[in-house]
Amino acid sequence: MMAFRNPPAHKRLTGFVRLRNRRGNRLAVVLLRITRRDFDFCLTALFVFCLGSALYQLNGGASQILINALPFPSQVVYNRVGKCGSRTIVLLLRILADRHQFTLISSDIHNKTRLSKREQANLIRNISTVPLPFLYTRHVHFLNFSRFGSDEPAHINIIRDPMDRFLSNYFFRRFGDWRGEENHVVRTPGMKDDERYLDINTCILENYPECSNPKLFYIIPYFCGQHPRCREPSVWALETAKQNVLEHYLLVGLLEELEDVLLLLERLLPHFFTDVLNIYTSPEYRKLGNQTVTVHKQTPSLEALRVLYQRMEYEYKFFNFIKHQFHLSKKKIGLNTHPQTSRRCSGSLQKMSLLDELEEETEDLLLTWMEQH
């Protein structure tokens, strides 16, 4: 009878190591296959996303799934400030909405910027139901969507030098623009001739309501919000407006540098603003844009300008804050262009920015401003 003996210990160990190695090799192969498969899947997904994003920006259209996946906001609110180039931007948006197939809601409510809490809630709810991507625009003071439990959109806006904004509004209400001087009759049908032809210097120096606070406290409330204190010139309103800009606004540009504003908007919101600068500089658009320039504007006297500036102390502090933030945005995105005067402006706006140092050089700076008109 044959006897069976256990193999020596070193042979048993060798067999065990071989068996374990075979098992380990099979596990490594499985893991390698899984890793390669996942890696290939990630690369494919990334390629599809990049290709889809590129096609969207080039062709102006994409599926809703791709829109939601884009690393850009798909909800934009432009609570446009009056007489700060908003008609120029709305004209551009109408062209862009048709070209890029986004929903544009441009409200024709111009004289109701302050809303009750219930009106705010209703408006925010209505805006939030607009099909994506959308851009909503209206003359309305800042709306805090998160306060009402809604998704926060990207807020954008444009402002201009406060003094030039006031003068543009003063003469526009009286004489309209190049679209037809009869427009002023439609806009202010109840204005009597003695008010319509009121000399701007008289209005300022004799402290008419239209040329004094709170009428001159105009830009800040658009960023401060709906709180009653936002309507009163104060440090609180100024600081609240600054904080809202930092926390809620994607971009607040300057009308004095409108072409750079459009370039930044194209970079930040390409599925809304791609090719906007080419449209803005085209002869076809220029013909439309020139019709919105206010007519019969006059320059106040040096004395009147000095009084006007003093009454706009908070407005200028906010304007200078926005100018600083806007130039920081330009620098971050690589735009090193110099400030240019927009065709929408009167030609004085670049010089008006010199009023930053008005306290020490009031007369010289105001004279420079006047020479540019």
Side-chain angles (χ1 to χ4, degrees):
M1 184 173 183
M2 185 179 295
F4 293 93
R5 293 181 300 175
N6 291 331
H10 70 277
K11 290 187 177 180
R12 292 200 305 271
L13 181 61
T14 301
F16 173 75
V17 170
R18 287 175 180 173
L19 178 62
R20 187 179 64 179
N21 285 343
R22 284 198 297 272
R23 290 176 180 174
N25 290 339
R26 284 197 294 270
L27 179 61
V29 169
V30 171
L31 291 176
L32 181 60
R33 288 175 179 173
I34 294 175
T35 303
R36 285 177 177 173
R37 182 175 59 193
D38 291 345
F39 181 70
D40 291 342
F41 175 79
C42 291
L43 284 180
T44 303
L46 181 62
F47 174 77
V48 170
F49 175 82
C50 294
L51 178 62
S53 180
L55 289 174
Y56 182 92
Q57 296 180 43
L58 290 173
N59 300 324
S63 68
Q64 194 64 40
I65 295 176
L66 179 58
I67 289 171
N68 293 333
L70 283 172
F72 306 109
S74 57
Q75 306 175 65
V76 180
V77 171
Y78 169 33
N79 64 316
R80 57 186 191 266
V81 182
K83 303 310 298 176
C84 289
S86 61
R87 288 180 295 160
T88 295
I89 302 301
V90 170
L91 282 174
L92 288 169
L93 285 172
R94 288 172 181 166
I95 298 172
L96 291 167
D98 183 64
R99 179 174 297 188
H100 300 318
Q101 298 300 301
F102 63 84
T103 304
L104 172 65
I105 306 294
S106 180
S107 174
D108 57 359
I109 301 175
H110 303 288
N111 299 316
K112 190 172 178 57
T113 58
R114 306 162 184 172
L115 309 176
S116 67
K117 188 174 181 179
R118 183 175 181 178
E119 289 172 331
Q120 294 176 56
N122 290 337
L123 179 57
I124 288 174
R125 183 170 58 252
N126 291 337
I127 292 174
S128 300
T129 60
V130 176
L132 300 178
F134 72 77
L135 191 150
Y136 178 86
T137 177
R138 172 180 168 176
H139 291 296
V140 64
H141 293 171
F142 170 71
L143 296 166
N144 192 333
F145 280 63
S146 58
R147 180 187 175 193
F148 294 90
S150 296
D151 293 337
E152 190 74 26
H155 295 266
I156 61 172
N157 218 320
I158 297 175
I159 68 170
R160 72 194 292 185
D161 186 284
M163 196 179 297
D164 203 68
R165 193 219 67 82
F166 163 74
L167 294 175
S168 179
N169 182 67
Y170 183 88
F171 291 105
F172 177 73
R173 291 184 66 245
R174 287 161 169 77
F175 308 113
D177 52 37
W178 288 112
R179 291 177 298 176
E181 293 190 33
E182 68 278 1
N183 283 344
H184 69 271
V185 179
V186 177
R187 290 183 177 276
T188 54
M191 184 180 286
K192 298 179 180 179
D193 284 349
D194 57 345
E195 182 183 359
R196 192 177 303 282
Y197 296 100
L198 176 66
D199 181 72
I200 183 66
N201 295 303
T202 302
C203 184
I204 296 171
L205 297 176
E206 296 187 13
N207 203 25
Y208 278 66
E210 187 178 358
C211 299
S212 59
N213 281 316
K215 291 287 187 180
L216 296 179
F217 191 70
Y218 185 86
I219 297 176
I220 288 176
Y222 274 87
F223 300 88
C224 179
Q226 298 288 334
H227 195 284
R229 291 180 65 186
C230 289
R231 309 167 194 174
E232 303 171 2
S234 65
V235 173
W236 182 88
L238 170 63
E239 294 304 319
T240 301
K242 289 181 179 180
Q243 193 64 31
N244 283 338
V245 168
L246 294 175
E247 292 181 359
H248 299 283
Y249 280 80
L250 180 66
L251 180 70
V252 180
L254 302 178
L255 186 61
E256 292 85 343
E257 303 176 44
L258 182 56
E259 292 189 6
D260 284 351
V261 175
L262 298 179
L263 282 172
L264 276 175
L265 287 172
E266 186 170 2
R267 298 275 186 90
L268 297 171
L269 298 168
H271 48 305
F272 291 97
F273 287 95
T274 291
D275 210 33
V276 64
L277 191 57
N278 288 334
I279 297 172
Y280 175 69
T281 55
S282 67
E284 296 80 10
Y285 176 81
R286 185 174 302 181
K287 185 182 297 184
L288 292 173
N290 288 340
Q291 294 178 7
T292 63
V293 177
T294 302
V295 298
H296 298 319
K297 290 173 66 174
Q298 301 173 18
T299 303
S301 66
L302 178 61
E303 181 183 4
L305 288 174
R306 186 183 294 111
V307 171
L308 195 61
Y309 180 83
Q310 291 171 351
R311 292 175 183 170
M312 292 182 165
E313 176 187 3
Y314 292 120
E315 293 278 275
Y316 269 100
K317 286 182 178 179
F318 183 72
F319 174 76
N320 290 331
F321 165 78
I322 292 299
K323 182 169 63 175
H324 176 71
Q325 294 297 319
F326 179 64
H327 289 168
L328 281 179
S329 297
K330 287 171 59 175
K331 184 176 181 180
K332 288 178 182 178
I333 212 163
L335 288 179
N336 298 315
T337 55
H338 298 290
Q340 72 279 332
T341 301
S342 165
R343 293 194 307 270
R344 288 283 296 112
C345 306
S346 62
S348 66
L349 296 176
Q350 188 172 344
K351 292 297 182 183
M352 287 179 68
S353 64
L354 295 173
L355 293 174
D356 299 346
E357 307 297 333
L358 187 66
E359 289 79 1
E360 297 181 0
E361 303 177 0
T362 302
E363 189 166 342
D364 289 343
L365 291 172
L366 288 175
L367 285 172
T368 301
W369 186 91
M370 293 172 66
E371 289 173 358
Q372 299 301 315
H373 278 72

